[in-house]
Amino acid sequence: METNTVEFNQIYKENHQNVYRLALSYVAGNESMAEELTQEVFVKVWQNLDRFRGDAKASTWIYRITVNTCLMHLRKLKKENVNISQEISEDITEEASDEKEAKLTWLRACIKSLDEIGKLLMTLVLEEVPQKEIAEITGISNENVRVKVHRTKGKIFKCMTLKAKQHNNN
Amino acid sequence: MNNYNEIKDIWNQQGTSEMPDVPAQLQNKIAKFNQLVNNAHLITIAVLSLTLVFILVGYFLLFKQHNTISVLAISSMAIALIVRIGMEWGSYRKKQRLDVLSDTVLFANDLSKYYQWRMKMHGLPTWFTVILYVIGVGLLFTQFKIHLSGFWFKFFFIEFWVIALALFYFIRKWIKNELKALSELVETYQGIAM
């Protein structure tokens, strides 16, 4: 039990930030939801701790849990009738205190507009998870990941350009 | 904006706070994860089982007139509850089998199957249990008519129909919303699994 706790604490400290950021982008910047998701992920990590042992790629496993927990979270959102889009204003320029923050809000809004797999792929790419590892996490072939990521980036560029234009027009 | 590095810079602005210690709230969740009381399906099973026990104990200990109609009434209610308990148990087991360590495609496929199964359960089986239970209660009323005064019989009779109609209205509405939500989820997960 003591060994488990030490191991878990180590995993928590090493991965909390990545898990939280991935969750945060999945729920379009809603911090309380992201925190809830992060806790759910680590409860699952604890439950599956024995299956981690000796596995060289703990990060792949943790990302798998994170991605799958995000997917499962959709049910909860529907049950509570939460519309994530309500959490993020379209007229984001007024809310953001400076341009950097505004751009981050645009980016989150753009990620939010993607389909589920697009959201997850884009976040993993932004977290600098290697393409091969993304393929292992998602179960999508390497080549397919490359194609999907390329398309998703294209959508993000388009969306961000549109947001920038809207901002300049205001 | 078509430069990935620019996007990456925006992303990297996000705060990188100090590595936190495991918060007490998470420690509590972890401590509780093994407790059965945290599972919604098991809570429902416990409530339905208790109802079943109360009905059976009430019937055999308190109700003195054990004739064919009352036996049929109690049997209908008991079967409805047992079927419902079975459905909840099935859901619980299927949910337990979802492996969060699977890759995304496999997991989305399993989630899709799980919610398709839930959709099936919200169709005929749910209506079957509700109708069977209502028939059971209705049959019991014929017995109440024999043993209760006119006033109390009318009171319970009207109350029964009011509750039955309200139940029908709300269950129908709930099932409709639930099926819509599940159908959207299945579509989403199938999109990922393809």
Side-chain angles (χ1 to χ4, degrees):
Chain A
M1 187 69 181
E2 185 61 30
T3 323
N4 275 2
T5 309
V6 172
E7 197 176 353
F8 176 79
N9 288 351
Q10 186 65 25
I11 289 174
Y12 182 83
K13 287 186 177 186
E14 284 172 4
N15 296 280
H16 172 270
Q17 202 69 43
N18 297 343
V19 170
Y20 179 72
R21 277 161 65 123
L22 202 147
L24 193 63
S25 77
Y26 191 77
V27 294
N30 183 314
E31 289 178 4
S32 63
M33 268 194 216
E35 191 49 53
E36 199 185 316
L37 262 173
T38 306
Q39 292 205 359
E40 268 182 56
V41 168
F42 282 103
V43 169
K44 287 181 179 121
V45 167
W46 173 266
Q47 284 175 287
N48 291 285
L49 208 54
D50 290 339
R51 295 168 73 184
F52 277 110
R53 211 146 285 147
D55 196 301
K57 287 189 177 176
S59 68
T60 308
W61 290 54
I62 289 168
Y63 275 126
R64 269 190 183 172
I65 294 180
T66 310
V67 166
N68 291 340
T69 305
C70 286
L71 287 178
M72 279 187 95
H73 196 68
L74 278 175
R75 174 75 188 112
K76 203 173 176 187
L77 292 179
K78 285 203 181 292
K79 215 169 189 174
E80 291 170 4
N81 208 14
V82 175
N83 184 358
I84 295 177
S85 61
Q86 287 167 356
E87 306 292 331
I88 192 158
S89 167
E90 285 302 312
D91 187 17
I92 45 195
T93 49
E94 282 177 22
E95 285 186 359
S97 59
D98 58 39
E99 199 171 333
K100 277 184 177 178
E101 204 181 313
K103 283 184 177 173
L104 182 60
T105 317
W106 299 350
L107 182 56
R108 282 178 178 157
C110 289
I111 292 175
K112 189 214 78 187
S113 70
L114 298 169
D115 59 15
E116 300 309 317
I117 198 72
K119 274 183 214 171
L120 296 166
L121 283 177
M122 196 61 212
T123 317
L124 290 169
V125 168
L126 287 165
E127 282 297 322
E128 294 178 347
V129 179
Q131 194 172 298
K132 193 170 168 262
E133 200 176 340
I134 295 180
E136 281 173 33
I137 293 163
T138 57
I140 301 171
S141 71
N142 232 328
E143 180 54 20
N144 228 336
V145 168
R146 195 187 63 77
V147 173
K148 279 181 193 280
V149 166
H150 180 73
R151 280 188 199 149
T152 309
K153 276 183 183 173
K155 285 179 190 167
I156 292 288
F157 292 147
K158 206 172 160 184
C159 177
M160 287 295 280
T161 308
L162 194 72
K163 298 276 181 206
K165 271 185 189 167
Q166 282 172 354
H167 175 67
N168 291 337
N169 290 340
N170 283 336
Chain B
M1 192 175 294
N2 58 3
N3 182 346
Y4 177 67
N5 288 334
E6 214 177 320
I7 305 270
K8 187 80 188 79
D9 286 343
I10 296 169
W11 180 259
N12 285 339
Q13 285 162 32
Q14 292 181 98
T16 46
S17 60
E18 291 286 307
M19 292 300 178
D21 286 328
V22 180
Q25 204 186 351
L26 176 58
Q27 285 174 1
N28 287 341
K29 278 190 185 177
I30 286 170
K32 278 183 186 170
F33 90 85
N34 267 337
Q35 293 174 9
L36 297 178
V37 77
N38 279 327
N39 190 292
H41 291 300
L42 293 181
I43 292 170
T44 311
I45 289 172
V47 170
L48 292 172
S49 302
L50 273 177
T51 312
L52 181 64
V53 169
F54 279 129
I55 288 174
L56 293 178
V57 169
Y59 179 71
F60 288 109
L61 293 184
L62 304 174
F63 199 80
K64 303 295 176 196
Q65 309 297 320
H66 294 174
N67 54 34
T68 314
I69 293 177
S70 68
V71 168
L72 267 175
I74 291 299
S75 303
S76 292
M77 291 163 77
I79 290 169
L81 287 169
I82 290 166
V83 171
R84 189 73 222 173
I85 290 168
M87 284 157 63
E88 289 299 324
W89 180 250
S91 280
Y92 170 70
R93 294 292 300 156
K94 277 183 190 290
K95 204 170 183 184
Q96 289 285 98
R97 280 198 286 266
L98 290 171
D99 184 6
V100 81
L101 292 175
S102 309
D103 64 53
T104 313
V105 171
L106 203 63
F107 190 71
N109 194 35
D110 288 345
L111 275 176
S112 160
K113 282 182 187 160
Y114 172 69
Y115 286 122
Q116 276 175 325
W117 188 80
R118 290 290 294 167
M119 281 173 79
K120 272 187 199 160
M121 289 303 105
H122 288 315
L124 279 178
T126 296
W127 284 117
F128 171 75
T129 54
V130 172
I131 290 169
L132 203 61
Y133 195 84
V134 170
I135 288 173
V137 177
L139 284 172
L140 268 189
F141 269 98
T142 60
Q143 301 303 298
F144 288 169
K145 192 175 184 182
I146 302 167
H147 303 286
L148 293 175
S149 68
F151 170 79
W152 283 112
F153 174 74
K154 275 179 197 157
F155 175 81
F156 284 122
F157 188 74
I158 291 166
E159 188 192 55
F160 165 72
W161 278 107
V162 170
I163 291 173
L165 289 174
L167 214 62
F168 177 80
Y169 173 77
F170 286 113
I171 288 178
R172 186 170 167 270
K173 199 175 166 188
W174 177 79
I175 288 178
K176 222 173 151 182
N177 289 339
E178 187 73 359
L179 285 176
K180 188 173 171 273
L182 291 179
S183 157
E184 283 170 15
L185 278 174
V186 167
E187 204 176 306
T188 306
Y189 293 134
Q190 278 177 344
I192 296 168
M194 268 197 298

